[in-house]
Amino acid sequence: MTLPLAAIWRISRRDLSARIRGLRLLAICLFLGVATLAAIGSLTAGIADELSRRGQTILGGDVEIGIAQRAASNAEMVALRKAGIVSETIRLRAMAIGAEPDSDSLLAELKAIDGIYPHYGALTLRNGGSVKAPAKGEIYIGRTLSERLDIENGGTVRFGEARFKVAGIIDQEPDRLGEGFTLGPVAIINMASLPDTGLIQPGSMYEAKYRIKLGPTQDAAAVAKALEAQFPSAGWDITDRSNGAPGTRRFIERMGQFLTLVGLASLVIAGIGVGNGVSSYLASKRASIATLKVTGADSGTIFRIYMLQILTVATGAIIAGLAVGSVMPTVIGWVAGDILPVAPGFNLHPLPLLVSAIYGLLIAVAFALPPLARARTVPAAGLFRAIVEGNARIDRRSTAWVLSAILAIIALAVLTAREPLFSLAFIGAAFGLLLLLTGIAWLLRAIALRIPRPKAPLPRLALANLHRPGAQTQALVVALGLGLTLFVTLAAIQTSINNEIKNSVPDRAPSFFALDIPRDGAAQFTQMVRDADPKATINMIPALRGTIIEYGGQRVDQLEELPEGAWVLNGDRGLTYSKELPKGSEIVAGKWWPANYTGPALVSLEAEVAKTLGLNVGDTLTVSLLGVEVPAKIASLRTVKWDNFGLNYVMVFSPGSLDAAPHNMVATLTVSKPAERILAKSIPPTFPSSSLIEVGEVTSQITVLLTQMAQAIAAAASIAILAGIAVLVGAIAAARQSRVYDSVIMKMLGSTRGQILGAQAMEYGILAIVLGLVSLLLGMSAAYYVVVQIFDFSFVPDYEVLALTLVGGAGLTFVLGIVGSLPILAARPSEALRSL
């Protein structure tokens, strides 16, 4: 008998309203997964939209031209002014020194602005409104600079050879985000005051930026492209308002993609909970289903009735997850504060919400269909006996629907990803883990079935529980294995990163990086360091900056798009020259030039960069250095130990190729603690154009950044852990009725509650021990990949913490299993037998 849809809906609604409790697990699992995906997607989209909306303000104009170590030429300025209204700024690192003779110093970002700055947004002070450039001889300083040097309004601070009166404490710098990563607080002066500092000398490390404000009808991208074509050898770094902070955008998008995949993995894990919840729910409805079949309902009618119930509850859970996920970016922005690059406002982002909803619906279908198909294909008599006979297999049509849903999930993840291959690999690893755990569950059941049966009743019963008909071994293994694997993975990542920073960096890091040391003052600088610490280690090399404009015979400005991973082509890069192979480098192809080499320019290129650009020994590349093209032949490829805190460069040129260009020196200084304090006070006044960067502060910033990334990963993965716990609870619930049957029979045969509970505790103990070892191997492998391949750190986890984490996680899941078994012990034989 096939009922009309209206009748099916009435039966479905009445039955659902009578006992919605059975589908709570389905609702909880879908809610957790969808809310996580919606929150991550909405946050990523919100930040990206905010970056786009504020593109002009972040960039400081419609088009920005960045030039390293020189100002724009007259011809260049004519072209820029022809395009629109031009504002000029110059930015460099410099030491801020207090007014007193024995004052402390602090590395700062000194920024000289003209009277036009800013084109968009407003430069505001703490105790006042928006302002323009300070008067000549005055300065605006950042809050950190004011606090660290104890300088307020009206105070005096020195930069280079000039003293400035503090005219205000900066509240907001409109283009702060567009300036990129900084190592110190900002200080702003008038462009007319910059020559007084004496900081701009031939070879000084600084960057001139020219922000162009266009007319309302002008196309920023077209203007930028035309200017680049007009000056192809200028070595410019050109950006337009559509992407004012490209590095920030790339980081947010990639982190968002990674977290989205973690969220999708959480949703897949939650899907197992959906399957368990549906199985448990349909087990409670076994009598109703059998009654419907006895009264004439066919399998299709049964399927529609309960599929409508499942879809109704799933839809409600998905809508609730979308609602929570849509407001989470605002909450995260409020909690995170300054951690996020921009604070996303409250806006609905339809695409991530739609994608999250589709994921949730596909997961519900993929994992709910198998138990539903088994229930609808079992005959009525079989349903009455299912508690002891087990369930039927799902039919081919349902199998096809499940496979279609899984393929749709994979296709959606790949099509919406920034890096499809990475997404595909991640999803493959997640499904591979599920298949591996499923295989382990099958192996456990097979071993438990075939090993000799113990004579003691409790171990005998515990082993039988692993392989008997209706056993939930597979669901328990998947739930417990996923939870423990995630526990181990997170602990290994966190402790390995902490140990890398805490143990490795201090052993090899220098005390200072010294920048812009005058070439003619190098001997005096070295002597000052030796006077402070005779055992000091000094590594001093030349420092220049240039832009690759040609490689392998092709011009960079003529490429339609840059090769994937070719970050070295974005803007100017550090250059140096050397007679000897730098420390921390190893030749892997070609050979180093002789110490007395005086021929045409040669260059040694970092091996990974060469691979990305498709270059090899004998190929050529050309760099633009202060507007002059310098062609060079690649003499060797080398690997570089970037994490040794040394002076590492992608490109190292042969002696004589760059010597004539004006430049200064940079150095790493490794000195004793007393010498650090002496040099921090003596070098800035003696070498006002030089900058000292304390490595401790750099590592502190890196630690904060990595900790924030690890916390974001942990927060997303915690949802997966919660979903794994929900799966475990669902597996216990799905097995409850069959365990009640076993418990009643054992009680009638004389077993005590303690014996029944002991057998189940032994069962969960066997699973915890076996899966603890498996999870340790899987979790360590996953953590190794993240730490070594993604963070490029050494893998040095804290094994004591890992052991405690594993024991704690196994203990938690063990306790959940035992607590879930307590209601079974309370079942009365007379009531239980009547319900069977």
Side-chain angles (χ1 to χ4, degrees), residues 86-371:
V86 181
S87 171
E88 179 184 8
T89 65
I90 290 181
R91 178 168 162 261
L92 68 158
R93 295 185 178 95
M95 300 301 294
I97 307 172
E100 301 300 325
D102 197 32
S103 294
D104 290 334
S105 60
L106 180 68
L107 180 69
E109 297 279 337
L110 185 62
K111 183 174 180 177
I113 63 176
D114 60 15
I116 300 174
Y117 174 94
H119 282 312
Y120 300 99
L123 174 63
T124 61
L125 302 181
R126 187 173 58 186
N127 297 322
S130 60
V131 294
K132 287 293 187 178
K136 191 174 185 300
E138 294 184 344
I139 191 171
Y140 304 141
I141 63 175
R143 293 183 182 183
T144 304
L145 186 57
S146 171
E147 293 168 0
R148 292 281 296 273
L149 296 185
D150 193 21
I151 302 173
E152 294 292 340
N153 270 349
T156 303
V157 63
R158 176 183 167 188
F159 278 94
E161 299 174 0
R163 295 178 181 271
F164 296 94
K165 179 182 178 181
V166 177
I169 309 300
I170 298 170
D171 181 49
Q172 286 189 347
E173 180 189 3
D175 55 343
R176 168 78 286 279
L177 189 60
E179 296 286 15
F181 180 74
T182 61
L183 289 174
V186 69
I188 296 178
I189 61 174
N190 192 304
M191 189 70 72
S193 299
L194 187 59
D196 298 337
T197 65
L199 296 175
I200 302 298
Q201 301 291 337
S204 296
M205 290 290 182
Y206 69 93
E207 183 178 25
K209 289 187 176 182
Y210 300 88
R211 279 75 176 261
I212 306 173
K213 183 177 182 179
L214 303 177
T217 61
Q218 289 179 281
D219 185 338
V223 171
K225 190 173 182 179
L227 288 171
E228 187 173 20
Q230 188 174 352
F231 298 95
S233 302
W236 287 353
D237 184 12
I238 304 181
T239 310
D240 65 71
R241 65 189 175 211
S242 64
N243 195 13
T248 302
R249 182 184 293 272
R250 284 194 299 271
F251 173 78
I252 291 297
E253 289 178 348
R254 288 177 180 174
M255 195 66 179
Q257 179 187 344
F258 178 74
L259 293 179
T260 297
L261 291 172
V262 174
L264 180 57
S266 303
L267 190 56
V268 171
I269 295 169
I272 302 170
V274 169
N276 290 337
V278 172
S279 295
S280 178
Y281 177 69
L282 293 177
S284 70
K285 294 290 185 180
R286 188 176 292 117
S288 299
I289 297 173
T291 301
L292 286 169
K293 287 199 170 188
V294 168
T295 56
D298 58 15
S299 296
T301 300
I302 298 296
F303 178 83
R304 294 184 188 96
I305 288 172
Y306 289 98
M307 192 64 183
L308 272 175
Q309 291 185 359
I310 291 167
L311 289 178
T312 300
V313 175
T315 301
I318 289 171
I319 292 173
L322 294 177
V324 171
S326 63
V327 301
M328 281 305 294
T330 304
V331 176
I332 293 171
W334 178 71
V335 173
D338 294 336
I339 293 177
L340 297 177
V342 293
F346 177 71
N347 288 302
L348 292 179
H349 301 282
L351 182 58
L353 295 179
L354 177 62
V355 170
S356 301
I358 294 174
Y359 274 134
L361 189 61
L362 289 173
I363 289 292
V365 170
F367 287 91
L369 269 178

Side-chain angles (χ1 to χ4, degrees), residues 574-604:
L575 311 173
T576 190
Y577 58 88
S578 176
K579 295 180 180 179
E580 301 174 350
L581 180 68
K583 295 180 180 178
S585 293
E586 181 179 349
I587 299 293
V588 294
K591 60 181 181 179
W592 198 257
W593 42 80
N596 58 352
Y597 179 79
T598 57
L602 301 176
V603 63
S604 178

